């Protein structure tokens, strides 16, 4: 009989805690997984008590997912090496800017046979310019395979067990069904594709488009304008993958990781909300992030900056006017009102033969 696989969740924000509800239940229910699921929690003091102690005693992440009980087999651990040391499957769900530091801590401290699954939506900047995918960073630093999970998955709705879909990108035909079984429930349906890079890139780029959708809301334009932003944003997403990651499949953009996640994020989610407030209040993105997000990080403006870094290196900023406008507005080089001109004069509106 094959040994049971042990699971560790690295991260405990609202999305990490929501996925812990699913993974904890599935690990306890399925015979091929160890019952105990470890969850690395960045230690914080909440009203004089450690967050890990609160989670382990009350089975609730009172800061990031209040009102939802975590399965009792999910154990919060404050040291990432202690949480991950014996795991066969490492689920990464932390802000993307912390991945390199975490991987440095884990190097040589995990099983060489382990596999990873990244739920992280964002890019990093590679040395010398260009974009580094988070799954590639994890694989390169830890020397283990890393699949990705992306989809129209607002954490609070997943935690409330409202029906939704997600996409796992995994090239390993043996690992894919293991990850699917660990993640899937009747209310959280998984489609597995082998187009890992495109799945991950969709999960990052849609946050840029959502910032643009927030600008539209803040400026008082309606759903027609937002629909144009979504369509033009999707076209730039497809073009970006085609230019920088050729070989991906167009069909991937019609999975949950693509158009579904894009629509959801442009109507809900933190990037749209903060971008709307940015236009209405005139306050900085950083101020609004601190005030509105309860310690969570905003991905859209950072991703826009990282994408612009790559476009500028290739002298292609004018080929991606929506992405470029979001970057310049977030940076303060353009007023939000200029975003409408970007939509109006987008190359996609040129007469096609």
């Amino acid at each position: 009989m094959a040994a049971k696989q042990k699971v560790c969740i690295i991260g405990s924000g609202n999305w990490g805690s929501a996925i812990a509800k699913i993974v904890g239940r599935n690990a306890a229910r399925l015979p091929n997984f160890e019952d105990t699921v470890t969850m690395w929690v960045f230690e914080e003091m909440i009203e004089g008590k450690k967050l890990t102690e609160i989670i382990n005693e009350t089975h609730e992440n009172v800061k990031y997912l209040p009102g939802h009980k975590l399965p009792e087999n999910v154990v919060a651990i404050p040291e990432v090496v202690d949480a991950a040391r014996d795991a066969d499957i490492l689920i990464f769900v932390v802000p993307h800017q912390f991945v390199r530091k975490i991987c440095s801590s884990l190097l040589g401290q995990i099983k060489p046979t382990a596999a990873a699954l990244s739920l992280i939506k964002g890019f990093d900047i590679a040395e010398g310019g260009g974009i580094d995918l988070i799954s590639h960073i994890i694989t390169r630093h830890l020397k283990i395979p890393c699949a990705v999970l992306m989809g129209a998955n607002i954490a609070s709705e997943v935690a409330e067990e409202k029906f939704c879909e997600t996409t796992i990108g995994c090239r390993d035909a043996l690992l894919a069904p293991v990850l699917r079984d660990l993640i899937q429930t009747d209310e959280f349906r998984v489609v597995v594709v082998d187009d890992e890079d495109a799945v991950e890139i969709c999960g990052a780029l849609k946050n840029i488009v959502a910032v643009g959708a927030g600008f539209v809301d803040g400026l008082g334009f309606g759903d027609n304008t937002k629909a144009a932003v979504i369509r033009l944003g999707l076209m730039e997403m497809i073009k970006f993958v085609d230019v920088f990651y050729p070989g991906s499949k167009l069909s991937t953009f019609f999975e949950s990781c693509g158009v579904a996640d894009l629509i959801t994020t442009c109507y809900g989610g933190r990037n749209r909300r903060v971008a709307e407030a940015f236009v209405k209040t005139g306050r900085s993105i950083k101020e609004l992030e601190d005030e509105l997000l309860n310690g969570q990080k905003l991905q859209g403006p950072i991703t826009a900056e990282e994408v612009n870094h790559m476009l500028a290196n290739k002298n292609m900023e004018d080929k991606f006017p929506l992405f470029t406008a979001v970057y310049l507005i977030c940076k303060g080089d353009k007023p939000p009102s200029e975003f409408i001109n970007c939509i109006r004069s987008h190359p996609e509106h040129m007469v096609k033969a």
Side-chain angles (χ1 to χ4, degrees), residues 2-258:
K4 291 186 175 187
Q5 295 196 291
K6 188 167 178 54
V7 182
C8 169
I9 300 169
I10 297 174
S12 59
N14 66 337
W15 186 209
S17 298
I19 213 70
K21 282 188 71 174
I22 291 172
V23 169
R25 284 181 192 162
N26 281 345
R29 180 178 63 84
L30 296 169
N32 50 325
F33 297 103
E34 289 278 358
D35 281 0
T36 299
V37 172
T38 55
M39 179 171 73
W40 174 61
V41 175
F42 179 77
E43 193 68 281
E44 300 177 64
M45 299 302 292
I46 309 291
E47 296 181 357
K49 193 162 187 177
K50 292 179 179 177
L51 181 57
T52 51
E53 292 177 0
I54 295 171
I55 292 172
N56 289 333
E57 289 170 13
T58 68
H59 308 292
E60 181 182 351
N61 188 335
V62 294
K63 179 164 185 181
Y64 295 110
L65 198 68
H68 291 277
K69 288 293 182 184
L70 300 178
E72 292 188 9
N73 60 317
V74 175
V75 178
I77 296 176
E79 298 295 334
V80 68
V81 172
D82 293 340
R85 184 179 284 115
D86 299 322
D88 300 289
I89 297 172
L90 300 167
I91 299 175
F92 284 82
V93 54
V94 293
H96 77 279
Q97 50 268 44
F98 301 132
V99 169
R100 290 179 190 270
K101 183 178 179 183
I102 289 169
C103 285
S104 295
S105 300
L106 293 177
L107 183 61
Q109 304 293 323
I110 60 171
K111 287 184 175 181
T113 54
L117 176 66
S118 172
L119 278 61
I120 300 168
K121 294 179 177 179
F123 294 135
D124 203 358
I125 295 178
E127 292 178 17
I131 280 167
D132 221 351
L133 299 187
I134 302 303
S135 64
H136 293 191
I137 293 171
I138 292 169
T139 292
R140 194 167 62 246
H141 282 255
L142 297 181
K143 300 174 176 55
I144 61 174
C146 183
V148 295
L149 181 150
M150 304 284 154
N153 305 143
I154 292 174
S156 59
E157 295 184 16
V158 173
E160 290 161 10
E161 299 177 42
K162 294 177 177 176
F163 181 85
C164 66
E165 302 174 312
T166 199
T167 311
I168 290 179
C170 182
R171 293 191 193 96
D172 186 329
L174 295 177
L175 179 60
V178 175
L179 297 176
R180 182 198 61 218
D181 291 350
L182 181 62
I183 298 293
Q184 182 159 267
T185 72
D186 287 345
E187 307 306 327
F188 193 65
R189 307 306 294 173
V190 175
V191 173
V192 181
V193 299
D194 63 3
D195 200 5
E196 282 182 357
D197 289 353
V199 170
E200 182 169 1
I201 292 162
C202 282
L205 294 181
K206 57 94 185 182
N207 285 327
I208 304 176
V209 186
V211 172
F215 293 160
V216 166
D217 290 338
L219 291 164
F221 288 79
D223 285 341
N224 292 343
T225 311
K226 192 186 286 191
V229 169
I230 292 170
R231 188 189 76 82
L232 295 169
L234 179 62
M235 297 306 291
E236 290 196 14
M237 287 166 62
I238 293 169
K239 186 192 295 184
F240 184 91
V241 172
D242 190 47
V243 169
F244 294 103
Y245 294 85
S248 294
K249 299 168 185 168
L250 185 62
S251 60
T252 301
F253 293 91
F254 297 97
E255 297 292 349
S256 184
C257 63

Side-chain angles (χ1 to χ4, degrees), residues 201-339:
I201 292 162
C202 282
L205 294 181
K206 57 94 185 182
N207 285 327
I208 304 176
V209 186
V211 172
F215 293 160
V216 166
D217 290 338
L219 291 164
F221 288 79
D223 285 341
N224 292 343
T225 311
K226 192 186 286 191
V229 169
I230 292 170
R231 188 189 76 82
L232 295 169
L234 179 62
M235 297 306 291
E236 290 196 14
M237 287 166 62
I238 293 169
K239 186 192 295 184
F240 184 91
V241 172
D242 190 47
V243 169
F244 294 103
Y245 294 85
S248 294
K249 299 168 185 168
L250 185 62
S251 60
T252 301
F253 293 91
F254 297 97
E255 297 292 349
S256 184
C257 63
V259 68
D261 196 10
L262 178 61
I263 292 168
T264 298
T265 312
C266 287
Y267 279 92
R270 66 189 81 155
N271 290 283
R272 189 218 61 81
R273 182 159 56 103
V274 172
E276 180 183 13
F278 172 75
V279 174
K280 286 182 173 178
T281 66
R283 295 167 64 196
S284 74
I285 293 279
K286 179 70 172 69
E287 279 182 283
L288 293 165
E289 180 183 66
D290 291 344
E291 180 181 313
L292 299 176
L293 297 187
N294 192 30
Q296 297 174 75
K297 294 297 178 186
L298 201 64
Q299 300 297 338
I302 297 172
T303 305
E305 182 178 356
E306 292 162 354
V307 163
N308 186 263
H309 185 95
M310 193 164 189
L311 296 178
N313 278 351
K314 300 282 188 183
N315 199 27
M316 295 187 75
E317 289 167 290
D318 61 328
K319 306 289 186 189
F320 296 84
L322 191 149
F323 288 174
T324 301
V326 169
Y327 164 69
L328 292 173
I329 292 166
C330 288
K331 190 182 173 191
D333 287 358
K334 270 190 177 185
S337 57
E338 283 295 305
F339 189 64

